């Protein structure tokens, strides 16, 4: 009787996993290869393991590539580690740590404002300008320039305007508190613990400032590790990286789409959490992404319990969102839930 029960459980597990039509996902990826730039790596993580993977063109699951704005998700997680350690609060004012902001009447900007594009500091909206070389030698020099030379456009917390500035200000706060460089902090507290062996914030040109908002390089496997940690309430391979409360805060609604005044085309109409966008929600958000203008779409669905990484190097636009959502729909079709 015990053997028959065990056999039934195993058969049910196989059937449940087989419900996701991986052949349809592969077909969709093949059809979309040109639009995605031909070099693509895809990982689907569910139930504690990788249940689907695909490598196309010159990419494999460990290929390292610039991930642009997806960096903001990683930076947010690092900030939350400092918050759970009691070293700062999301509602601390940046002027407490960088007095130059007080001198130039920007001291009231909070850490939360920084992680939600609500600083009120005027910024450039062009996608290409977000990628331009910043000409600063250090994060300190860049953030001091934000404090002393950038004008205030609106009061902090009143208008969402997409930019790199807030995340780089938040990262500089971590440097001030720890007396370590941001890239070293990311390596010690996030990258190594998550076994993200192909991820770094260190610039290839060591004379350039670290860019916590746009400057990380990573791989499909590494981003899958990061999202699996979020999916597992902050735990990775038995290690508690983030507390459950920190993950919950990261994934909480921060800005409704009607308040978003400036955002990349592929994220228009989406609400915003901390460091990432909300793809779906009922009473509460259920699916998230922090897509890159460089083309990568990492998708976290906490209701259906999976992490999907679509890793590319093609400069993204609206078509990437449709492709990513079409692939997500194929995954969703194979998972019986009451998420909708």
């Amino acid at each position: 009787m015990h053997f028959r029960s065990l056999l039934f459980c195993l058969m049910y597990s196989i059937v449940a996993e087989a419900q996701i039509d991986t052949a349809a996902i592969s077909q969709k990826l093949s059809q979309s290869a040109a639009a995605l730039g031909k070099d693509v790596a895809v990982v689907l993580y569910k139930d504690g393991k990788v249940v689907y993977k695909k490598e196309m063109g010159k990419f494999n699951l460990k290929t390292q590539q610039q991930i642009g704005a997806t960096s903001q998700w990683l930076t947010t997680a690092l900030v939350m580690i400092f918050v759970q350690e009691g070293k700062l609060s999301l509602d601390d004012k940046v002027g407490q740590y960088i007095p130059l902001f007080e001198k130039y009447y920007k001291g009231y900007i909070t850490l939360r404002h920084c992680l939600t594009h609500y600083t009120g500091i005027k910024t450039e909206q062009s996608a290409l300008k977000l990628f331009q070389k910043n000409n600063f030698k250090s994060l300190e020099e860049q953030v001091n320039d934000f404090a002393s030379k950038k004008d205030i456009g609106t009061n902090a917390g009143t208008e969402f305007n997409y930019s790199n500035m807030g995340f780089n200000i938040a990262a500089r706060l971590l440097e001030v508190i720890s007396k370590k460089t941001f890239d070293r902090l990311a390596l010690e507290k996030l990258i190594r613990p998550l076994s993200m062996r192909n991820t770094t914030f260190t610039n290839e040109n060591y004379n350039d400032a670290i860019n916590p908002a746009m400057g990380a390089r990573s791989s499909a496997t590494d981003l899958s590790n990061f999202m699996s940690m979020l999916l597992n309430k902050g735990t990775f391979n038995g290690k508690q990286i983030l507390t459950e409360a920190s993950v919950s805060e990261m994934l909480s609604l921060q800005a409704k789409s009607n308040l978003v005044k400036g955002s990349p085309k592929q994220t228009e109409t989406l609400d915003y959490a901390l460091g990432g966008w909300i793809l779906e929600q009922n009473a509460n958000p259920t699916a998230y992404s922090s897509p890159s203008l460089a083309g990568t779409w990492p998708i976290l669905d906490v209701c259906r319990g999976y992490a999907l990484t679509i890793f590319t190097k093609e400069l993204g636009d609206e078509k990437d969102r449709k492709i990513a959502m079409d692939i997500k729909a194929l995954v969703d079709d194979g998972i019986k839930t009451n998420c909708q």
Side-chain angles (χ1 to χ4, degrees):
M1 189 68 180
H2 174 72
F3 173 76
R4 290 174 63 186
S5 297
L6 178 61
L7 181 62
F8 175 79
C9 289
L10 289 172
M11 289 177 63
Y12 177 80
S13 175
I14 292 170
V15 170
E17 184 174 313
Q19 287 177 341
I20 297 176
D21 190 346
T22 56
I25 296 173
S26 293
Q27 182 179 15
K28 178 65 180 178
L29 285 167
S30 296
Q31 292 171 347
S32 306
L36 292 173
K38 297 184 180 179
D39 298 325
V40 184
V42 176
V43 181
L44 176 60
Y45 171 95
K46 190 178 187 324
D47 300 326
K49 60 183 181 298
V50 172
V51 297
Y52 173 79
K53 58 185 178 181
K54 180 77 170 177
E55 300 171 336
M56 299 169 60
K58 297 178 181 178
F59 271 17
N60 60 52
L61 301 185
K62 296 181 179 179
T63 298
Q64 187 187 73
Q65 176 65 29
Q66 183 181 13
I67 61 169
T70 307
S71 309
Q72 295 169 16
W73 232 357
L74 305 183
T75 295
T76 300
L78 185 58
V79 169
M80 293 310 301
I81 291 174
F82 276 72
V83 171
Q84 69 194 27
E85 290 175 349
K87 294 175 181 174
L88 47 72
S89 163
L90 288 177
D91 298 312
D92 283 351
K93 294 178 172 61
V94 298
Q96 295 175 230
Y97 304 94
I98 308 175
L100 197 60
F101 278 84
E102 293 277 6
K103 179 179 178 180
Y104 289 95
Y105 309 104
K106 301 183 183 81
Y108 51 83
I109 297 169
T110 68
L111 186 56
R112 189 184 300 275
H113 293 149
C114 291
L115 299 179
T116 54
H117 303 283
Y118 266 122
T119 65
I121 302 173
K122 285 184 179 179
T123 183
E124 298 286 352
Q125 298 302 326
S126 165
L128 291 178
K129 294 206 176 203
L130 291 172
F131 273 104
Q132 281 180 348
K133 179 178 168 61
N134 58 42
N135 297 317
F136 294 101
K137 301 301 182 184
S138 69
L139 191 57
E140 178 182 10
E141 182 183 337
Q142 183 183 47
V143 170
N144 286 349
D145 182 83
F146 295 161
S148 61
K149 297 181 181 179
K150 299 294 183 183
D151 293 331
I152 287 289
T154 62
N155 290 332
T158 62
E159 189 172 290
F160 181 114
N161 276 291
Y162 190 86
S163 80
N164 295 342
M165 285 189 282
F167 289 87
N168 288 359
I169 293 169
R172 176 59 189 154
L173 260 62
L174 303 189
E175 291 189 335
V176 171
I177 291 169
S178 67
K179 296 181 172 54
K180 295 181 180 180
T181 61
F182 177 83
D183 54 326
R184 179 178 171 185
L185 289 171
L187 180 65
E188 292 177 355
K189 290 181 173 288
L190 193 69
I191 292 169
R192 280 178 182 161
L194 286 172
S195 298
M196 297 172 72
R197 296 181 178 87
N198 295 294
T199 299
T200 181
F201 277 92
T202 302
N203 287 324
E204 293 174 341
N205 182 349
Y206 290 93
N207 291 320
D208 293 344
I210 298 297
N211 188 348
M214 298 283 286
R217 300 192 303 279
S218 191
S219 69
T221 292
D222 285 8
L223 289 180
S224 185
N225 285 359
F226 174 76
M227 288 193 292
S228 74
M229 178 271 293
L230 296 178
L231 195 62
N232 294 319
K233 299 180 179 179
T235 299
F236 178 78
N237 284 349
K239 298 177 290 187
Q240 196 77 41
I241 311 299
L242 291 177
T243 64
E244 187 173 344
S246 292
V247 174
S248 178
E249 187 69 46
M250 273 188 69
L251 302 182
S252 63
L253 174 66
Q254 300 291 323
K256 297 289 290 182
S257 60
N258 63 306
L259 298 176
V260 175
K261 302 300 182 182
S263 69
K265 283 286 186 182
Q266 63 264 55
T267 59
E268 286 181 350
T269 73
L270 298 180
D271 295 342
Y272 198 76
L274 277 179
W277 300 87
I278 298 170
L279 298 178
E280 296 173 359
Q281 55 189 314
N282 280 323
N284 296 299
T286 59
Y288 307 81
S289 184
S290 186
S292 166
L293 292 173
T296 288
W297 274 80
I299 297 173
L300 177 71
D301 193 317
V302 296
C303 183
R304 296 176 181 87
Y306 69 81
L308 171 67
T309 305
I310 305 169
F311 194 82
T312 78
K313 66 176 182 180
E314 190 77 359
L315 189 65
D317 57 24
E318 299 98 316
K319 71 178 181 294
D320 289 345
R321 176 174 170 177
K322 185 180 186 308
I323 294 168
M325 293 305 97
D326 286 347
I327 294 172
K328 183 183 187 305
L330 291 173
V331 177
D332 294 350
D333 286 344
I335 303 172
K336 305 302 179 185
T337 70
N338 59 355
C339 293
Q340 297 298 331

